[in-house]
Amino acid sequence: MPGKTKIELLYIDQQVANTPVAISIKSRLNVPSEIVEGPHKVFKSVSSANDPIRKGKEVLFLTRNKGAFIKTCPGTRSYTCCGYKILHIGTFCVMDCAYCILQSYFHPPVLQYFVNQDDLFSELDILFSGKAVTRIGTGEFTDSMIWEKWTDLSGLLVPKFSSQAHAVLELKTKTTAIDGLKSLSHNRKTIAAWSLNTNKVIHNEERQTASLSARLKAAARCESWGYPLAFHFDPMIIYDGCEEDYKHVVEQIFSHVSSDNVVWISLGTFRFIPNLKPIVQKRFPGSKIIYGEFISGLDGKMRYFKPMRINLYRKIVGWIKEFSTDVLIYFCMEDDEIWKKSLGFIPSECGGLPRMLDESAIHHCELDV
Amino acid sequence: MRSREKTVPLSRINPDDNTFHITTKTCINSLVNSIQNVGLITPPILLEKSSKFIIVSGFRRIAACKQLGWQNILSRVIDSGIKRLECIKLAIADNSFQRQLNLIEQSRSLYMLSPFYKDDIALGKETSSLGLPENPSFIIKIKKIYHLPQTIQNSLLSNNVSLDMALELGRLEEDVGVKFADLFSKLKLSLNKQMEILTMFKEIAFREDISIFELLKESCFQGIVNNDDLDRNQKTQKIRSYLKQRRYPALTKAEKEFKKHVSNLKLGAGAKLIPPNNFESTVYTLCLQFKNLIELKERKAELDKIIKNPSMKKILR
């Protein structure tokens, strides 16, 4: 297994070099830095490496987000989307998971952090002024908490969300970098969320992530600080013995935190665009995750054969329900057949998935409707 | 280049020194006939080494003359002080400007030349003047052929495998690569089918923690390959089906069950039930064929029967 990735070089876009955020990150990161005129040199340096994906984790590019900070989750046709919004704070990740879609999503994959936070907060002000119930997260194009070491982002975002009552921020992570959340005023408008997997998958497929036990201990600490919680079983990997292992994860969750404080639990089995396969073969030659019984789904992504997904979903739903019948369980990008056969209903019977999630957020995060 | 024409006794020419051997052709019958009828038009090129001569160009001509019982042969003998690189270029040019070299011959040529150039880009600049490919990335590929086992080279030469497939087989353990080359040559498969079979083997072996070699030796597979009652198309079909069943057991089982249920529906020739791709969607397609109202009414009656048939319920559960 290759050694740990570590940021070795900081590129700073000339346009933001003198901003307080860039200056602060530079002093906290303490690695050699270089001011560049634009992304070209950074992208070239990453693209020309033998392993551009690894290289993309070893440089950090501080720049402006020239597009929107608030985006709608792209979803995928033919499957039910949760209507989530993405708060686009940066791209890519320092952790290295075999199944990570970001490996093939960015061309080239570069760890970027957007320092024009005034624009970000202006967009949030507009969002909040709309007074619509909104679920928004930073963990879609990056991990929400990897930035804690070098930035004050959570220290700014959490209080920002605490001062309004219509939107919830979800911080989704595989780290334990939560110390900064302890003393923040959150008013339950920030959900601390973890992607979870079995010990076997974490050990074999998720390089440089926190262990399951460490993640759940961190979740318990957040709960003790009053934060609502969420968990994401995504991607669930099917292997011999996986069912017992996922059952163990469920048991571990509820031995660490109270089910009453869990806003939602999402389930999603491993799916991938076909061009991820050669990347996994090359970068994770010992990984078997791409050799499951995958078929081409309705959106062109490879998915486990449907009855296999239903079988695993049914079981994990049953185990979760043994601990709590109230906790909201939902599927990420699955169709009505999966919902009906695994949960016994389809989202449209309950007003649709976005509404189900909104209602849980309203209830747990004390939102105004 | 300094050289002179000289009549050389065939006994003094070493036919086993392949230092400059380019051609893959071994058959000399037509050459023997030609020399017998019109004589030796172009003398071979030799290099004097100690008291013997080694062949730079004309291996087949010399073999043909030997077969004709000649004792001596008029040759072009190049000066022994000439550089080895010049001899190699001469050997290549003498072949490549008479005919298109095949991939093996190109590989041999490039392999001989490459030690004299710092990299494949420098090599590429020289090769076009010798009638060889000049694209460095193609040169890199072709050079690898030289190291492939003979069976794989032969499969490539006889167009039973493509260049990419030959190189892919070359990346496997030698025994395994050779077995696949042999299989593909026997079954005369298209590249797509070759890729499908090879990928299936690799993935099954990886999934099941066994070697590809073990998988190849298994009796189920060998039973198909060695079944003399099957022609090559039947063997191909059975191999693909066997591999699919092993690689995708749940999907294959579902397909079999669907077929069984459809058979229970007893659809006539004018009706066809098509399942969703990989059973991922829930939408089935029913095709009904009819020529006139009478047939349409018959189909309607069949449709009513299908709807009531318990197998239809099982299909749609």
Side-chain angles (χ1 to χ4, degrees):
Chain A
M1 185 185 287
K4 282 189 171 184
T5 54
K6 184 172 172 286
I7 295 175
E8 289 171 350
L9 180 61
L10 177 66
Y11 286 108
I12 308 172
D13 191 331
Q14 188 179 260
Q15 289 182 7
V16 303
N18 296 319
T19 59
V21 179
I23 292 166
S24 165
I25 293 172
K26 186 184 169 193
S27 74
R28 287 161 78 170
L29 193 59
N30 198 24
V31 296
S33 64
E34 187 179 334
I35 293 174
V36 290
E37 281 188 19
H40 184 71
K41 185 173 181 184
V42 186
F43 289 174
K44 197 175 168 192
S45 150
V46 170
S47 300
S48 60
N50 270 343
D51 180 355
I53 294 161
R54 185 182 170 88
K55 183 72 177 176
K57 295 172 184 289
E58 292 172 346
V59 299
L60 171 59
F61 181 40
L62 302 182
T63 186
R64 291 182 73 244
N65 179 5
K66 297 179 182 77
F69 273 98
I70 298 175
K71 293 168 177 277
T72 301
C73 180
T76 181
R77 63 181 191 274
S78 312
Y79 298 100
T80 306
C81 180
C82 67
Y84 199 63
K85 290 211 181 300
I86 298 162
L87 190 56
H88 190 29
I89 57 163
T91 61
F92 215 32
C93 185
V94 288
M95 293 175 281
D96 201 7
C97 299
Y99 51 73
C100 180
I101 182 62
L102 300 180
Q103 295 176 99
S104 59
Y105 191 83
F106 298 116
H107 301 283
V110 175
L111 192 64
Q112 289 185 103
Y113 184 74
F114 303 131
V115 302
N116 51 326
Q117 288 175 344
D118 289 346
D119 296 334
L120 183 157
F121 286 102
S122 298
E123 284 191 42
L124 281 178
D125 286 336
I126 295 167
L127 178 78
F128 295 160
S129 67
K131 296 190 185 302
V133 174
T134 307
R135 291 162 284 109
I136 188 165
T138 52
E140 195 79 6
F141 295 136
T142 181
D143 182 283
S144 296
M145 304 305 280
I146 57 165
W147 308 99
E148 290 293 288
K149 281 185 277 186
W150 318 301
T151 76
D152 299 314
L153 187 64
S154 297
L156 296 169
L157 284 178
V158 174
K160 179 80 181 171
F161 275 78
S162 78
S163 64
Q164 54 76 54
H166 297 92
V168 286
L169 170 69
E170 185 177 26
L171 299 175
K172 190 159 57 177
T173 188
K174 287 177 192 147
T175 75
T176 56
I178 49 138
D179 290 345
L181 301 179
K182 183 178 180 182
S183 55
L184 299 178
S185 160
H186 58 76
N187 196 22
R188 290 187 69 80
K189 300 301 178 289
T190 294
I191 300 167
W194 275 265
S195 294
L196 298 180
N197 227 310
T198 65
N199 282 317
K200 183 172 178 176
V201 171
I202 291 172
H203 181 262
N204 291 343
E205 317 293 347
E206 298 183 355
R207 293 175 188 157
Q208 293 181 239
T209 64
S211 68
L212 173 64
S213 153
R215 289 180 213 183
L216 292 174
K217 280 179 186 156
R221 287 179 74 206
C222 284
E223 182 175 38
S224 74
W225 301 333
Y227 286 92
L229 304 174
F231 297 101
H232 300 275
F233 284 82
D234 200 347
M236 297 172 75
I237 309 283
I238 297 176
Y239 58 87
D240 285 345
C242 73
E243 292 174 2
E244 273 309 300
D245 291 355
Y246 279 111
K247 186 178 181 192
H248 174 73
V249 179
V250 172
E251 289 165 352
Q252 287 298 300
I253 291 176
F254 296 109
S255 70
H256 281 80
V257 303
S258 160
S259 61
D260 296 341
N261 195 42
V262 177
V263 190
W264 49 64
I265 295 177
S266 77
L267 308 177
T269 49
F270 181 37
R271 55 214 176 270
F272 57 97
I273 51 175
N275 68 4
L276 185 70
K277 188 172 178 177
I279 293 173
V280 178
Q281 284 173 324
K282 189 174 177 192
R283 298 198 66 243
F284 297 84
S287 173
K288 289 186 175 176
I289 57 169
I290 47 173
Y291 303 112
E293 210 170 329
F294 293 102
I295 52 93
S296 181
L298 303 175
D299 54 359
K301 284 185 184 172
M302 305 306 292
R303 291 166 176 264
Y304 288 113
F305 181 47
K306 205 172 202 177
M308 299 170 74
R309 303 195 321 258
I310 292 170
N311 178 53
L312 184 56
Y313 286 146
R314 269 182 181 162
K315 286 184 174 154
I316 196 161
V317 165
W319 297 322
I320 293 170
K321 286 194 180 294
E322 281 177 22
F323 288 93
S324 169
T325 49
D326 295 332
V327 68
L328 175 64
I329 303 167
Y330 74 97
F331 298 114
C332 185
M333 307 317 295
E334 289 291 7
D335 68 4
D336 283 353
E337 185 186 13
I338 294 267
W339 277 82
K340 190 76 183 173
K341 288 182 174 172
S342 308
L343 273 166
F345 66 95
I346 58 174
S348 58
E349 293 167 2
C350 304
L353 177 57
R355 183 165 160 195
M356 289 162 57
L357 293 165
D358 286 349
E359 281 173 359
S360 189
I362 290 164
H363 170 68
H364 286 91
C365 305
E366 299 157 9
L367 299 183
D368 286 345
V369 187
Chain B
M1 186 179 295
R2 281 173 298 173
S3 64
R4 63 192 191 282
E5 284 203 344
K6 184 177 177 181
T7 300
V8 175
L10 278 164
S11 59
R12 284 187 62 201
I13 299 173
N14 181 0
D16 300 324
D17 188 325
N18 289 318
T19 308
F20 303 107
H21 196 186
I22 304 288
T23 186
T24 54
K25 288 186 179 176
T26 49
C27 178
I28 55 170
N29 292 346
S30 59
L31 201 54
V32 168
N33 286 339
S34 163
I35 293 170
Q36 200 165 26
N37 289 328
V38 295
L40 183 67
I41 299 166
T42 311
I45 302 170
L46 305 177
L47 179 68
E48 194 161 6
K49 194 177 176 187
S50 307
S51 58
K52 286 252 181 183
F53 292 88
I54 62 172
I55 307 167
V56 174
S57 173
F59 281 84
R60 291 170 64 240
R61 276 167 276 167
I62 287 164
C65 292
K66 267 191 180 170
Q67 191 170 310
L68 288 166
W70 291 16
Q71 298 298 312
N72 300 301
I73 185 166
L74 181 66
S75 306
R76 198 175 138 206
V77 178
I78 50 180
D79 194 294
S80 58
I82 205 153
K83 287 182 179 165
R84 183 185 170 95
L85 176 60
E86 295 306 310
C87 295
I88 292 169
K89 284 181 179 176
L90 195 60
I92 295 168
D94 196 48
N95 281 282
S96 70
F97 292 120
Q98 288 180 49
R99 63 188 169 85
Q100 171 75 39
L101 299 188
N102 64 42
L103 286 170
I104 311 289
E105 292 166 339
Q106 289 179 24
S107 177
R108 285 180 187 173
S109 303
L110 292 168
Y111 183 77
M112 286 180 194
L113 287 169
S114 59
F116 298 94
Y117 299 88
K118 73 175 167 64
D119 55 33
D120 292 318
I121 295 168
L123 177 59
K125 284 178 184 160
E126 191 66 33
T127 48
S128 61
S129 63
L130 293 168
L132 293 170
E134 53 191 301
N135 179 325
S137 58
F138 194 49
I139 287 175
I140 291 170
K141 271 186 173 183
I142 293 180
K143 270 165 63 181
K144 289 178 185 165
I145 298 171
Y146 185 84
H147 298 287
L148 293 176
Q150 195 59 48
T151 309
I152 300 177
Q153 287 194 16
N154 292 344
S155 297
L156 179 63
L157 205 55
S158 51
N159 286 324
N160 286 324
V161 299
S162 66
L163 172 58
D164 286 339
M165 178 52 76
L167 297 178
E168 187 71 31
L169 297 181
R171 281 190 277 271
L172 300 170
E173 283 176 45
E174 185 169 332
D175 285 0
V176 175
V178 165
K179 279 197 180 297
F180 276 112
D182 198 34
L183 178 73
F184 295 159
S185 296
K186 278 180 187 152
L187 297 181
K188 306 261 183 242
L189 299 174
S190 67
L191 177 60
N192 280 350
K193 285 191 180 129
Q194 289 177 9
M195 278 311 291
E196 177 195 307
I197 287 174
L198 183 59
T199 303
M200 288 281 203
F201 263 95
K202 281 181 179 176
E203 294 190 358
I204 292 166
F206 197 56
R207 270 164 64 94
E208 299 182 11
D209 283 323
I210 54 174
S211 70
I212 301 175
F213 191 74
E214 283 173 291
L215 192 54
L216 280 164
K217 281 198 307 187
E218 281 186 11
S219 54
C220 294
F221 175 69
Q222 287 300 324
I224 301 170
V225 173
N226 297 323
N227 186 341
D228 294 335
D229 294 334
L230 301 174
D231 64 28
R232 58 187 167 85
N233 288 333
Q234 290 169 319
K235 281 183 186 179
T236 302
Q237 198 179 358
K238 281 194 178 293
I239 289 170
R240 291 175 71 204
S241 164
Y242 165 70
L243 292 173
K244 186 183 172 191
Q245 187 178 344
R246 187 136 169 194
R247 175 68 180 82
Y248 299 100
L251 176 63
T252 315
K253 189 177 166 206
E255 285 172 344
K256 275 185 185 165
E257 275 177 17
F258 174 78
K259 270 188 189 169
K260 189 181 86 185
H261 293 318
V262 169
S263 153
N264 290 340
L265 291 178
K266 298 189 175 17
L267 299 175
K272 192 177 179 187
L273 183 63
I274 302 162
N277 263 353
N278 301 312
F279 304 97
E280 178 63 14
S281 131
T282 48
V283 180
Y284 287 75
T285 307
L286 182 66
C287 292
L288 297 176
Q289 291 180 343
F290 52 88
K291 291 198 285 278
N292 47 45
L293 274 176
I294 296 166
E295 280 194 8
L296 182 58
K297 279 178 190 166
E298 285 171 9
R299 297 290 171 267
K300 182 179 175 290
E302 283 172 19
L303 195 56
D304 288 338
K305 275 187 196 166
I306 292 167
I307 290 167
K308 286 175 192 155
N309 192 315
S311 287
M312 195 67 206
K313 213 171 195 177
K314 285 177 186 163
I315 288 171
L316 297 175
R317 73 183 162 197

